[in-house]
Amino acid sequence: GTAAAWDKLIGNNIALGSTQKMTFAGWIYKTGDSVYSVGSVVDFGLRDLGLMVNSVERLLFVAKWNGDNSVYWWTDTGVFSQNEWVHIAATYDANSSSNLPKLYVNGVEQTVTVLSGIATGDYYGIRGSAAFLGNTKGYDPWTTRGLVGNMSEWGIWNTILPASDLMALYQAKNAPGLK
């Protein structure tokens, strides 16, 4: 969907109903690394907001604050393995700059630290471009920053799903090839 459509759901367009709360969850099967070592899983507005994986199998989450200030958070390295299905999820409440995203692997919350940036001022919302699953638009060439692998059964909610619901999604094991 368009940046404007997503901004009124999980961006900062509160006048049109945004909760500024979000959950992204689904399955990935990473088979390699993108050209720039960071592959987009979910991208809103050209990294206004997103969930990524990198070359050392860590999750990264980005949100913009105070204008165009990108804040990146990440997990420890090796929180998942390549060449196997893994359920990943992110929850975030952008109603306060002091809130941290929560990142999950196979239903288990991971330790998250700030990689770069400072969340201050107001949440920026989604303004750049449309939303993409498994890719990022706008880079040259724009297909080099996508997830290398497969994705299945992705959901995006404008609320924060509790950890018990994320564990239940993982335990359902509906991804291809899982029993």
Side-chain angles (χ1 to χ4, degrees):
T2 66
W6 284 106
D7 197 50
K8 68 183 180 182
L9 294 172
I10 59 174
N12 69 349
N13 195 335
I14 296 171
L16 291 179
S18 175
T19 63
Q20 295 192 150
K21 296 178 181 179
M22 61 211 72
T23 300
F24 316 143
W27 293 91
I28 63 168
Y29 188 95
K30 184 176 178 243
T31 59
D33 298 320
S34 70
V35 173
Y36 295 99
S37 300
V38 176
S40 288
V41 177
V42 180
D43 180 45
F44 297 92
L46 188 55
R47 302 259 169 99
D48 289 345
L49 178 67
L51 177 63
M52 298 150 278
V53 294
N54 75 359
S55 60
V56 291
E57 284 57 71
R58 66 169 86 205
L59 301 181
L60 294 92
F61 184 85
V62 62
K64 286 188 179 176
W65 282 86
N66 200 27
D68 200 7
N69 173 38
S70 294
V71 182
Y72 285 85
W73 295 268
W74 63 3
T75 64
D76 293 333
T77 61
V79 296
F80 67 93
S81 298
Q82 283 193 39
N83 300 311
E84 64 182 47
W85 284 103
V86 61
H87 190 267
I88 63 173
T91 65
Y92 190 54
D93 181 349
N95 285 291
S96 171
S97 61
S98 64
N99 293 336
L100 298 175
K102 293 184 178 183
L103 302 177
Y104 297 81
V105 175
N106 292 336
V108 177
E109 185 176 353
Q110 304 296 306
T111 301
V112 175
T113 56
V114 174
L115 168 64
S116 65
I118 299 171
T120 62
D122 295 322
Y123 171 53
Y124 186 72
I126 302 166
R127 301 181 188 185
S129 65
F132 292 87
L133 291 175
N135 212 338
T136 295
K137 184 177 180 182
Y139 295 104
D140 182 29
W142 67 276
T143 57
T144 62
R145 294 189 189 236
L147 173 72
V148 177
N150 299 302
M151 300 175 67
S152 184
E153 301 192 16
W154 273 85
I156 299 168
W157 294 262
N158 67 343
T159 188
I160 294 175
L161 294 182
S164 59
D165 287 357
L166 296 173
M167 179 59 81
L169 287 171
Y170 162 65
Q171 290 174 336
K173 295 189 178 179
N174 290 326
L178 294 177
K179 297 183 180 357

